[in-house]
Each structure stands twice: as structure tokens, then as C-alpha cells.
Amino acid sequence: MPTLAWVRKHIGLGGVHSSGTSQAEFTLPAVLLGLLIGCLLCFTNLYFGLQTGWISMMSLQSALIGFLISRLLPKPMTPQENIVLQTTAVATGTMPLAAGFVGILPALGLLDEERDGVPPLHLSWVAAVGWSCAVAFFGVFLSPPIRKQVIIEEQLPFPSGTATAQLISVLHQLPPPDTTIRRRHPGYRALTVDVADDAHFPDTPTTADVVEAAEPPAAGHVEQKESWMALFWSFVASGAMTLLAYFFPIVFSIPLFGNYLAKEWLWSFTPSLSYVGQGIIMGFPTTLSMNLGMLVGWGVLSPLSKYSGWAPGPVGDMSTGARGWILWVSLAIMCVDSAVSLIPVIAEFVMKEVRKRQGKHEHASDHLKDDNEVETEDRLVPDNWVLWGLGTSVVLGIFLVWFVFGDEGIKPWATAVGFVMGGLLSILGVRALGETDLNPVSGLGKISQLLFAVIQPGNIVANIIAGGVAEAGAQQAGDLMQDLKTGHLIHASPRAQFYGQLIGSALSIVVTATAYNLYSRAYVIPGPSFPAPTAYVWLSLARLLRDGKLPAETGVFMLVFALVFGAIAGVKAHAVRRQLSYAKWIPSGVAFAIGFLNTPSFSLARLVGGITEYVYHKRVIKDGHDIRLIIIASGFVLGEGVISIVSLVLRTFGIEAATCWACGHGLCSGCPAS
């Protein structure tokens, strides 16, 4: 393990801080910095979510950037304050997914009165704030009781949260956190983390090699000044390229294989540094799965459906074209992958409960709730806060959903059922996340859609909203549980993190609703610039559950791919739970399905990042790992996300592209021909 002297010499980023129960953790600088970083992440996640459906919780990056900024303050930030900072940032930055701004709200805007019986629903700013308030706090109040079970009692690994704790311990020159997992059944050993941050579509894990080095590396360390420069120049490079692409759209729509394939089959390349950065954060195995899906979906199934007459419309048309046709195969893969990943979680939970009941008289003391709790009562969230918070958030949520959508949208009793489903599914999602670093929120939302197809048949609006309520609870509780795992390993106050979660979620309601309102005024959503692919997933399943009709021949392909990826998901789940070395190379069904949903341009750019990450850690930094590449990737992602705000302002004031030269293929965002 790296020694403290080695860390001082080579990392050069922080001082040693002691922690104690009396130490102030919930401080104004930590919260303000967390809100600032979270707002940037919120705009970034909304931007990328509407483009590709991909959202990252960016917990590790938030901790890193917050730490670097805090070095400019008169008093350096403690590790516990850093955890409050990154918890607040994550709660603020992930609202675009939690409140459905990248999927559910665009799906409601796609409704067709002739086909669906209701006109498109476009929420005003006030209505969007009301909807966000309805779902913003339910998952936060679910977190404390779930924490006691999955982190304290069962000690689930939560790899992304553990990786963030590893990084914070290095930054602040602390001894490495104890990541030994004491399990209730054999087959587990001490955890070695290789997952850096959790990024979602909405439930796909990301991978980056942030591990404890066995020996201090001879090279590759990052000095404080060097890390600042890496972050600054990567941010500037990505931002400059984004601004250049705004005025010269061809920069992000290169017809890599010629204009014919770009125009007719949507094969182009977007050399966006932000997507390269996302690929670095996601890691090579995930980007490889995504590009395998891209090759199968866009290289095989798309032309097959077109030439066979099953999808006779233009390839990019979501109703009659190949893009809409392969969407159904993607949906089958995502559903079966999520379902299979939940089976071992449910099975273990049932077996555990059976064993507990059989031995409850002999071993009752082993199951006392707080036996393993390491925090004092003054640092925990009181149970009465949780009960009052859950009750208030549910009652307020039911009223607000009724206020926004009315009785024609969804009945109040049905919304209440949606919250109950959300609570139950959140437990499953959190357990799956803790075991595998995979939060299957899209699959959980679709389970809720299946239920509401029975209890409110024929009501597409109710079906989508109910799925959104369930997804919001599961996604938010899962993301916050990763943060609580980080806090547990670094001995941060759960109550201080809880405060940060509440404040971050509250501010993000206004920020996300405002950002979405600005984007919807400046752009058509879904449209060429922001296709919002997950919106079609939500709407397509709702229509299928109502009508029972599938496009021509999709049923056969859905069944075949579901069977194949059901088997693959089972093998992968077994390998992950046994921590087998080859587990990460087994294709991820959700990542594979994303390759179907997004056009090749996005997947190819992420593959560049994935390959960069792999080569860097295998060839450049052979004897250890540093954080330079993470810093650069973070700058890439944030650069385009922040400059997208500038692009939004330019579009709002009517400032268009300088030239549409070479945009003859019609794929250039911002050009009239697109």
C-alpha cells in the first residue's frame, strides 16, 4: 500500500485531518461548493441526457473537483466536509433523471391525440416545478432506514461509493478505508475496487481503474499545480470545441464513411471531447458492450428491417423507420437484463428472511438493528424525521401530481399505489446496486408500468407517470446510498449527508425545471439536437401495454435477444457476485441496448475514451494508478456541459450557426437542413 510519506511526496494535494464526533462537517463552504458543482452537473446531465439518455452521478469527480477548489480557501476542507460536498453535488446533479426530465416529460410531449386519445402534454415552468417537488424527496427519506440494513447490517460493497472513499482517503492523506466485507454466506473476500463512478442510462454502471496500488508507482503522480492545469486545459479544450461546433456544426457531424451512409443510415462521427471523457469514466468494458450493440443494431438489424420491408420509412424515423424498429429489440434486452439481475437479489433476500425467522429465538441478539452501528445517535437521522418526511412527501406528492396532471392524467389513489411500488422497488434497486454496482431503475420503472396497465388500463398518461414515480424513488435512493457508503467508510456524519441531500434536491428542482424550460424554448424536444431516446422507450412500452401491437416481425427478434441476454445476464450476475476476474468482460445487456438507442456517432466517441482508459492503465501506468486521467475526463465532460449553457443563450437570442458548409447529409445540429 502507498505509505503516507509517499502520498505527501507524490500526490501533494492535501494535509492530514483528524475526524471526531464533535467536528463540524455540515459547513457553509462544503454546502455552497456542493451546490455550485451540482448546478453545473445538473445542466451537464440534462444536456447529455436529452442527447443520448446517459446521465452520470459524478460522485468521484465531484469530490475531486471540490477538493481542488477547496485548496483555494483559507481553511482547507476536511475529508468529512468533502463527503458532504460531493453528497450535495450528487443530489443536485441527478435531478434530470430522478424527475424524468430526460425521459418521462419528453415522452408526454410525444403523445398523439388521434393515436393515444390525449393531446401532447408540455408542462409549464410552474407545472415542472410542481412535478419535481412531487418526486424529489421521497427517495431522500427512504435512504436512512435502507442504509441501516444494506450498509450497516449486510455490509454490501457499493463499489462506486467505495471507490470514492478510496480517492478521498488519498487526497486527504488518510489511511486507506477498511473495505473488508463480512458476509453472511461464503464465497466473498476483501473488496478490491475497480469501479470509479456510477453513470446511468439510467442504470448502467461505469468502470475506471481507481484502485489501491500494491506498490507506490514510480511515475504518474499528480501534483496540485499539475492537477489544476490538467483540469483547466481539458475544460478549455472541450468548451472551445463545443463553441466551434455551434458555429460550424459539421465539426460534430463528420460523415466518417461518406455522405451516403451518413444521410441514409445515420453513420456519422461526433468527435466530442465530452463523449471521450464519458468513455474514459465508463471504462473500456462498458464502451465495448455499447459498441457491440451499435454494430448489431445499426450494422445488421437496421438494414435487415429496412430491406425486408418491416420498417419502410426513413431510417431515422421513430415510427416507421429502422430506428423505431430496433428500439423494440433494445427494450426487450433492457427489461430481461434488469429482471435477471434482480433474481439473485430477491432470492438471497427471501433466503435470509427464512433463516432469520428459523433462528430468531436462538439468535435474536444477532439481528438487533443497531448492533453494528458505528455512529452515535446525534449523528444519525432520527426515525421520527424519516416517518414524518416519508408521510409528508407522499401526501404532498399525491396532491402535486393531481394538481399538475388532473384526474384525467392519473387518479390520486393510483399515485399513492405508485409511491408504494416505488418504495418496494427501491429496496430491490438498492440491493442490486450494492451487490453489482448496477441500479436497474429503468427495469423497475417498467415493472410499475406493467402493474398500472392492469389497475388503470388504457390510460397512457397514468402508465408513464406511475413508472416515473417508481423510477424516481429507486434512482434517488440508490445514488444517495453510494454516497452514504462513502461516508460510512470515511466516518462522515449520516445526518450531515442527509442535510446535504435535502438542500441539493430542493435547489435542483428550480435549476432543472428552469434549464428544461429554456431548452424546450430554444430547441424541439425530441428533435435533431436533443432526440431524447429514452422518451420513446417509455412511450413505446405504454402503447404496447395498451394496444398489444408490435411492429412487423419485432416479436421474434425480441424473444430471441431476450433469451440470449437473459442467459448472458445470468452468467454475468453469477460472475460479479463471485467477484471473478473476467466478470467485467461479459457484455452488459443495458450497455448493449444503449448502442441500439443512440446513433453510431455517440457510441464511437465513447469507444475512443474507453480505449484511451484501457491503454493508459495497461501501458502508460503499468505499476500503479493515478488520478490524472480522471481529472482530464472530468474537464472534458464539464467543459461541454458548461459551454452548452452559452450555446443555449446564443440560440435563445437568435444567433445561429455561421455556416452550414459540408452539412449536406442533414445531420448537423443547428442547420436548417437538419
Side-chain angles (χ1 to χ4, degrees):
M1 299 302 300
T3 64
L4 187 57
W6 177 85
V7 174
R8 283 200 187 99
K9 178 181 178 182
H10 292 287
I11 302 297
L13 289 174
V16 179
H17 300 285
S18 59
S19 62
T21 56
S22 62
Q23 182 180 11
E25 301 177 19
F26 183 73
T27 62
L28 185 62
V31 174
L32 290 180
L33 281 179
L35 292 175
L36 174 62
I37 295 171
C39 287
L40 295 178
L41 294 180
C42 186
F43 268 92
T44 300
N45 277 334
L46 182 62
Y47 174 79
F48 292 122
L50 288 173
Q51 278 193 340
T52 68
W54 188 277
I55 276 186
S56 172
M57 69 180 279
M58 297 283 281
S59 58
L60 190 145
Q61 285 75 18
S62 298
L64 173 62
I65 295 169
F67 176 83
L68 292 174
I69 295 176
S70 73
R71 309 315 292 171
L72 304 176
L73 300 177
K75 181 182 178 182
M77 194 171 289
T78 66
Q80 289 73 29
E81 287 178 288
N82 198 348
I83 288 173
V84 172
L85 181 154
Q86 65 98 14
T87 301
T88 305
V90 169
T92 309
T94 53
M95 188 60 66
L97 176 61
F101 283 88
V102 301
I104 293 166
L105 297 193
L108 295 174
L110 287 169
L111 292 169
D112 182 272
E113 187 167 12
E114 182 177 345
R115 180 175 180 180
D116 304 314
V118 290
L121 296 177
H122 300 285
L123 300 189
S124 65
W125 182 85
V126 173
V129 169
W131 159 252
S132 301
C133 288
V135 298
F137 302 106
F138 181 62
V140 176
F141 285 103
L142 277 176
S143 298
I146 297 177
R147 168 193 173 272
K148 291 183 179 180
Q149 179 62 32
V150 300
I151 293 179
I152 303 302
E153 294 299 323
E154 299 182 45
Q155 303 172 54
L156 299 184
F158 287 98
S160 289
T162 304
T164 304
Q166 300 275 16
L167 177 67
I168 291 175
S169 69
V170 171
L171 293 176
H172 291 272
Q173 301 180 6
L174 297 175
D178 180 11
T179 57
T180 302
I181 308 300
R182 299 186 300 276
R183 302 309 304 263
R184 302 287 193 262
H185 56 81
Y188 287 84
R189 54 187 179 277
L191 175 68
T192 302
V193 180
D194 65 355
V195 182
D197 188 31
D198 185 34
H200 303 282
F201 169 78
D203 53 10
T204 304
T206 62
T207 306
D209 291 322
V210 180
V211 300
E212 299 175 76
E215 296 293 339
H221 59 272
V222 182
E223 301 291 346
Q224 181 176 348
K225 181 179 179 181
E226 184 181 342
S227 61
W228 264 114
M229 295 303 291
L231 182 65
F232 174 77
W233 286 115
S234 60
F235 181 95
V236 168
S238 181
M241 195 165 185
T242 303
L243 203 58
L244 181 67
Y246 182 84
F247 290 107
F248 303 92
I250 188 61
V251 172
F252 276 1
S253 299
I254 298 175
L256 197 62
F257 306 107
N259 275 334
Y260 172 77
L261 286 180
K263 184 176 182 178
E264 298 297 330
W265 298 98
L266 307 186
W267 279 85
S268 64
F269 179 56
T270 300
S272 161
L273 291 179
S274 66
Y275 289 121
V276 174
Q278 288 181 10
I280 292 171
I281 295 170
M282 291 160 59
F284 183 52
T286 302
T287 58
L288 184 60
S289 293
M290 186 182 298
N291 278 267
L292 288 174
M294 179 265 294
L295 288 174
V296 173
W298 292 92
V300 179
L301 296 184
S302 174
L304 177 64
S305 63
K306 175 76 172 179
Y307 287 124
S308 299
W310 306 329
V315 170
D317 190 284
M318 294 297 291
S319 299
T320 61
R323 188 173 189 181
W325 193 90
I326 64 175
L327 165 70
W328 290 95
V329 183
S330 171
L331 180 61
I333 296 171
M334 284 191 291
C335 287
V336 74
D337 187 87
S338 299
V340 171
S341 68
L342 283 174
I343 291 175
V345 175
I346 297 172
E348 182 179 342
F349 177 77
V350 171
M351 292 175 62
K352 181 175 178 292
E353 289 300 311
V354 171
R355 290 196 300 268
K356 184 188 294 186
R357 290 182 179 277
Q358 290 175 345
K360 65 180 178 179
H361 298 298
E362 298 177 20
H363 307 288
S365 60
D366 293 338
H367 303 292
L368 291 176
K369 199 163 190 121
D370 293 328
D371 272 358
N372 298 318
E373 183 60 76
V374 296
E375 300 290 351
T376 56
E377 287 296 328
D378 63 308
R379 290 164 58 82
L380 296 172
V381 180
D383 291 340
N384 61 329
W385 292 14
V386 173
L387 293 175
W388 277 103
L390 281 174
T392 303
S393 63
V394 169
V395 172
L396 182 64
I398 293 171
F399 170 77
L400 288 173
V401 170
W402 172 81
F403 175 77
V404 172
F405 296 103
D407 282 336
E408 296 79 12
I410 184 171
K411 302 291 185 183
W413 65 264
T415 305
V417 174
F419 276 111
V420 173
M421 281 291 294
L424 296 175
L425 295 176
S426 295
I427 297 172
L428 294 179
V430 166
R431 290 180 60 82
L433 182 67
E435 291 277 6
T436 68
D437 216 42
L438 177 84
N439 192 353
V441 290
S442 65
L444 296 176
K446 289 163 183 57
I447 292 174
S448 188
Q449 283 188 276
L450 290 171
L451 173 66
F452 272 79
V454 176
I455 64 177
Q456 274 207 278
N459 191 332
I460 283 187
V461 175
N463 192 278
I464 294 174
I465 294 171
V469 170
E471 182 185 66
Q475 184 266 328
Q476 202 171 32
D479 283 351
L480 301 183
M481 207 57 56
Q482 294 275 23
D483 296 331
L484 289 171
K485 178 69 175 185
T486 303
H488 175 67
L489 293 174
I490 304 295
H491 307 298
S493 164
R495 187 180 295 192
Q497 290 185 269
F498 178 74
Y499 292 150
Q501 292 167 355
L502 287 177
I503 293 174
S505 297
L507 178 64
S508 189
I509 290 171
V510 178
V511 174
T512 308
T514 302
Y516 184 78
N517 186 263
L518 292 173
Y519 275 118
S520 60
R521 288 184 179 185
Y523 299 91
V524 176
I525 299 177
S529 299
F530 297 100
T534 56
Y536 294 96
V537 176
W538 283 100
L539 184 58
S540 296
L541 181 59
R543 285 172 172 170
L544 173 63
L545 294 173
R546 187 196 63 177
D547 302 331
K549 291 180 61 178
L550 288 170
E553 303 300 326
T554 52
V556 175
F557 285 87
M558 289 174 69
L559 178 61
V560 170
F561 276 85
L563 291 174
V564 170
F565 277 91
I568 292 175
V571 174
K572 187 175 182 68
H574 172 78
V576 168
R577 290 169 66 83
R578 295 295 175 183
Q579 298 184 19
L580 301 178
S581 60
Y582 58 82
K584 66 180 181 179
W585 296 109
I586 300 174
S588 162
V590 174
F592 190 91
I594 295 171
F596 283 46
L597 290 182
N598 291 323
T599 56
S601 59
F602 300 117
S603 299
L604 289 170
R606 284 169 173 153
L607 181 62
V608 172
I611 294 173
T612 301
E613 180 270 334
Y614 181 79
V615 172
Y616 182 81
H617 287 114
K618 291 294 182 182
R619 300 294 178 88
V620 180
I621 307 297
K622 297 181 180 180
D623 301 322
H625 300 268
D626 67 3
I627 59 174
R628 182 186 291 107
L629 196 61
I630 298 173
I631 294 173
I632 294 173
S634 301
F636 284 164
V637 174
L638 292 175
E640 183 166 335
V642 171
I643 298 303
S644 70
I645 304 173
V646 177
S647 301
L648 177 61
V649 173
L650 293 174
R651 179 62 62 90
T652 302
F653 283 97
I655 300 175
E656 302 293 343
T659 176
C660 288
W661 174 81
C663 287
H665 50 64
L667 299 180
C668 293
S669 173
C671 284
S674 300

